[in-house]
Amino acid sequence: MSGAARCRPDPASAPSACDLLVIGSGAGGLSAAVTAAHLGLDVVVVEKEPHFGGTTAWSGGWMFIPRNPLARAAGIDEPAEEPLRYLREIAGAEAADSPRMRAYLAQGPAMVQFHLDHTALRFVDGNAIPDFHGHVPGAREGGRSVCAAPFDAGLLGAHMARLKPPSPLLAFMGMSIGGDLRHFVRAARAWDSFAYAARRVLRHVWDVARHGQGRLRMGGNALVAALLRSALDARVQLFERHAAESLIVESAGPPDAAASSRAGRVVRVVGARLRTPAGPVEVRARRGVVLACGGFPHDTARKAALFAHASSGHGHWSAAPPGNTGDGLRLAETACAAVDTTGADAGAWAPVSLVPLSPVLSIASTPATIESQLASPSASGAPGVEPGSVCGGALGSSVGAFPHLVERGKPGLIAVDRDGRRFVDEAGNYHGFMRALLARSAERHAGRPVEAWLICDHRFQRRYGLGHSKPRPLPTRWHRRVGYLQQADTIEALAQRCGIDAAGLVRTVAACNAHARQGRDPEFGRGETPYDRMQGDAEHGGPNPCVAPIEHGPFYAVRIVPGSLGTFAGLACDEHARVLDAQGAPIAGLYAAGNDMASVMNGHYPSGGITLGPAMTFGYILAHHAAGRALDRVEAEQEAGEPAAAALCANPSGAAQTSEPVDTAHCAAPAIPAARAGLSQTTPSSASESTTP
């Protein structure tokens, strides 16, 4: 039976009532929707953008799920305490031993098994994917992650047009690329990769001719596609271009010790008011509302409050979709929710480079010219969005933020500051890279824009590419013409083009080359951890897969600026994903998932997939709570000697509802530090006109 035939068509606008209303359509929201529908709830998903998928659709699709079924089937069966030992070292004992972390680790494997048993989602194992911090006790070289398996979006039938396309900056010819990236990089120097890439291109061209877009989806795009197929099969009602304007908050009777209250009455969220193409709609949700709006990477006011390196709200460039403007946090704050900002970092940092996209910027000759163009107030008029910010390259925008996640680990590249000095193990994880750059900038370049440069030679650029500039056989002329890719015949001349201290850069390159010929990096230990080596090139002829000299001109550079893949600060939640108020009491009927929920890792980045893993897992957990269904006691809890993660009440929504509205204009002062006083709690602004790792 075709995908279109297996689902009922959605009406033009959302219904007036449902059991569970999910606002947002990334992994967290769709995981909650699919699970809740399987448990018998009537579920509605609303998305303000024209397509479903959120940040997830532009991500790599990896999920950090220790002790997952795929790892255990392969014989990787670590004790339940072992992931906690590692997480205590990275996130701290308080976060690692919290009820929320325990619930996540206990139910993550159950979430994976649920999807294997009941949905269209399939996984590939991460049994060879190391943790980020290989020198830390408890780190493993694999077995703690899974990724969405490739998915044929044609199974969505007519609904394929509702799926967010791959990121324009990260896709090649519009193709969704995931674990097969190495074949595209090697295509000009290995026949097996050339044959693979050729087959994929031909298939993609055929699909575009027949369907208007490619059918094969990978990574996060495959994850969303499989969840959408599963949602349709479970009769979840899906509505794009439906923006949540406000929550419907009512009184639910006298307060008790465990409920959020205001003026002697229990606060309960009973629905939301939406702005739809058909006009305003009010949707009542009998079991609750789920906020899964993608965090606040493009909320200028909240970035100014929480990002120390971007105190004006600008100067930070996220690779997340531009529609992620903090809607979920603002909605929750109107119901007296607390925003937890106590984590080590408020964002999931990543180095990005700015790719000019508009006709105005395409004639720029230097990065300084690009920056001055982007600083113009006319660069963007989208409310709440940084001027010029595109994040991933939406059509019609002026600049794209390209995340540097792959090439930094390859041999023959270094990162330097204005002084021409290195500051980090370039092959290490992206969050750690940015932490080091921010620290160096604060130490030596305070008061100046945060930036660094990736430096390589001609051999490197043609073999691996550099940022958005692709390897052989694709040309580099356009990237050089617009000033994205700087080129010079000598290291001194390259430094002068980039505004780097020339003597400093010459000394750094000479010292690195001397050690690189021996496969060593005594300054930062590049190539010494399993994660570094995975990021390197196993086919490199030297003794270290991450180290090689920079000596074959011409030489190239790309400027790096502060960026992120999403945000870590978010709504305070308990182990059931219920949103908490300033006193730590749950707000009845209000849940959060994905980046709207404060990071369970306390603002740290222990491994890849620590955003999507919790998003999928807490979507699964909250659906059980909303349905009044107990989660299974899993083996992980029994081995760890912990109680079951969910002895759930039969009435998760709280006390019986009354029709009395609640005034939340004077919520109690938060016990958990929130954003800067005076931060707007108005209803979300309209979505920017844009298309999200």
Side-chain angles (χ1 to χ4, degrees):
M1 184 180 296
S2 71
R6 287 201 301 264
C7 61
R8 64 185 178 190
D10 291 328
S13 61
S16 60
C18 63
D19 290 328
L20 190 68
L21 174 62
V22 179
I23 302 174
S25 64
L30 291 178
S31 175
V34 170
T35 307
H38 175 77
L39 296 174
L41 298 190
D42 178 18
V43 182
V44 169
V45 174
V46 295
E47 166 61 55
K48 75 175 185 179
E49 297 294 320
H51 301 94
F52 295 106
T55 305
T56 305
W58 286 2
S59 74
W62 284 97
M63 294 155 268
F64 182 69
I65 307 290
R67 306 185 77 252
N68 64 77
L70 280 71
R72 301 183 75 172
I76 304 174
D77 196 6
E78 60 178 325
E81 181 64 23
E82 196 65 5
L84 282 172
R85 184 162 75 101
Y86 175 65
L87 293 173
R88 288 189 191 102
E89 294 286 337
I90 304 301
E94 183 177 356
D97 294 323
S98 68
R100 196 157 59 110
M101 182 71 82
R102 295 279 182 169
Y104 161 53
L105 293 177
Q107 296 302 328
M111 177 274 295
V112 172
Q113 193 62 55
F114 164 80
H115 285 286
L116 290 173
D117 292 342
H118 302 293
T119 78
L121 177 59
R122 294 296 176 264
F123 303 90
V124 295
D125 68 70
N127 294 344
I129 306 297
D131 291 325
F132 279 175
H133 306 278
H135 293 311
V136 170
R140 288 190 67 91
E141 295 190 18
R144 287 179 173 169
S145 58
V146 295
C147 186
F151 189 83
D152 180 1
L155 296 175
L156 292 170
H159 297 281
M160 182 167 66
R162 307 172 75 186
L163 172 65
K164 176 175 284 187
S167 163
L169 277 185
L170 300 178
F172 175 63
M173 296 176 57
M175 286 188 292
S176 178
I177 297 176
D180 59 350
L181 174 63
R182 65 182 295 271
H183 286 299
F184 289 89
V185 173
R186 296 173 73 246
R189 52 188 169 90
W191 282 109
D192 60 333
S193 290
F194 175 82
Y196 176 89
R199 288 195 301 270
R200 276 223 57 197
V201 169
L202 289 174
R203 173 178 174 173
H204 179 73
V205 170
W206 175 253
D207 286 345
V208 171
R210 295 188 63 197
H211 308 288
Q213 58 182 305
R215 290 178 54 164
L216 180 61
R217 303 302 172 95
M218 293 189 167
N221 212 265
L223 176 58
V224 172
L227 289 172
L228 277 179
R229 179 66 267 166
S230 304
L232 293 165
D233 290 340
R235 303 180 75 79
V236 173
Q237 298 184 71
L238 302 162
F239 301 93
E240 58 270 70
R241 296 185 173 89
H242 279 51
E245 296 262 316
S246 62
L247 296 177
I248 303 172
V249 183
E250 294 185 347
S251 171
D256 58 36
S260 176
S261 63
R262 166 76 183 125
R265 305 295 290 178
V266 174
V267 171
R268 180 173 182 237
V269 175
V270 298
R273 299 177 184 90
L274 312 177
R275 184 181 68 254
T276 81
V281 172
E282 185 174 289
V283 179
R284 295 272 170 159
R286 293 178 286 270
R287 296 300 186 99
V289 174
V290 180
L291 298 175
C293 305
F296 62 94
H298 300 291
D299 181 338
T300 303
R302 208 174 295 268
K303 285 193 300 180
L306 299 179
F307 292 4
H309 62 278
S311 58
S312 68
H314 305 297
H316 180 92
W317 305 83
S318 181
N324 294 6
T325 54
D327 298 353
L329 275 62
R330 288 195 297 273
L331 287 167
E333 285 172 326
T334 66
C336 295
V339 175
D340 185 353
T341 65
T342 59
D345 291 316
W349 309 140
V352 302
S353 54
L354 304 181
V355 183
L357 301 175
S358 76
V360 172
L361 293 178
S362 68
I363 60 173
S365 59
T366 67
T369 308
I370 296 174
E371 187 74 12
S372 65
Q373 293 279 359
L374 297 178
S376 169
S378 63
S380 172
V385 182
E386 178 174 357
S389 181
V390 176
C391 3
L395 294 178
S397 302
S398 58
V399 66
F402 182 92
H404 290 256
L405 309 180
V406 177
E407 89 274 36
R408 292 178 295 102
K410 301 297 185 285
L413 172 146
I414 58 173
V416 299
D417 64 4
R418 284 187 175 86
D419 298 330
R421 297 172 54 185
R422 293 175 66 211
F423 55 89
V424 72
D425 167 12
E426 295 89 349
N429 73 85
Y430 34 88
H431 190 77
F433 181 102
M434 279 309 306
R435 277 185 171 177
L437 175 56
L438 293 172
R440 170 62 65 86
S441 298
E443 174 190 356
R444 295 185 58 86
H445 308 292
R448 303 185 68 180
V450 178
E451 65 178 23
W453 293 85
L454 299 182
I455 308 293
C456 72
D457 63 11
H458 185 71
R459 179 201 61 85
F460 182 100
Q461 200 288 325
R462 293 288 74 196
R463 185 177 179 90
Y464 307 112
L466 184 61
H468 191 258
S469 67
K470 302 300 187 287
R472 183 185 296 112
L474 297 180
T476 62
R477 180 181 178 184
W478 181 85
H479 293 91
R480 289 184 283 113
R481 182 170 62 85
V482 300
Y484 174 83
L485 183 67
Q486 295 294 314
Q487 178 188 21
D489 291 334
T490 66
I491 293 294
E492 296 96 327
L494 185 67
Q496 292 168 1
R497 286 189 62 83
C498 299
I500 302 170
D501 180 80
L505 183 59
V506 169
R507 285 193 301 270
T508 295
V509 171
C512 287
N513 285 351
H515 294 301
R517 293 185 184 99
Q518 304 172 37
R520 299 174 55 243
D521 176 18
E523 188 173 10
F524 293 102
R526 180 168 170 157
E528 293 181 1
T529 68
Y531 179 81
D532 275 19
R533 292 190 292 273
M534 182 196 71
Q535 293 288 89
D537 181 359
E539 298 177 340
H540 173 53
N544 187 329
C546 302
V547 172
I550 301 172
E551 54 190 357
H552 302 291
F555 301 94
Y556 297 95
V558 165
R559 190 178 64 138
I560 296 298
V561 295
S564 60
L565 303 181
T567 48
F568 282 160
L571 297 172
C573 293
D574 68 6
E575 66 270 28
H576 307 299
R578 295 181 295 183
V579 177
L580 305 178
D581 68 8
Q583 285 69 46
I587 300 171
L590 188 61
Y591 301 91
N595 286 346
D596 278 354
M597 173 191 282
S599 166
V600 71
M601 300 298 172
N602 195 33
H604 295 277
Y605 223 126
S607 192
I610 56 89
T611 296
L612 289 183
M616 291 287 292
T617 301
F618 282 109
Y620 171 81
I621 289 173
L622 75 84
H624 282 78
H625 189 274
R629 300 280 292 275
L631 290 159
D632 293 335
R633 182 188 296 269
V634 298
E635 184 180 352
E637 292 175 306
Q638 296 171 343
E639 290 184 6
E642 294 296 320
L648 299 178
C649 59
N651 179 16
S653 300
Q657 174 190 347
T658 71
S659 59
E660 179 183 350
V662 173
D663 176 16
T664 59
H666 300 87
C667 298
I672 299 173
R676 175 186 300 172
L679 187 64
S680 172
Q681 292 189 359
T682 58
T683 56
S685 60
S686 61
S688 60
E689 295 198 13
S690 61
T691 60
T692 232

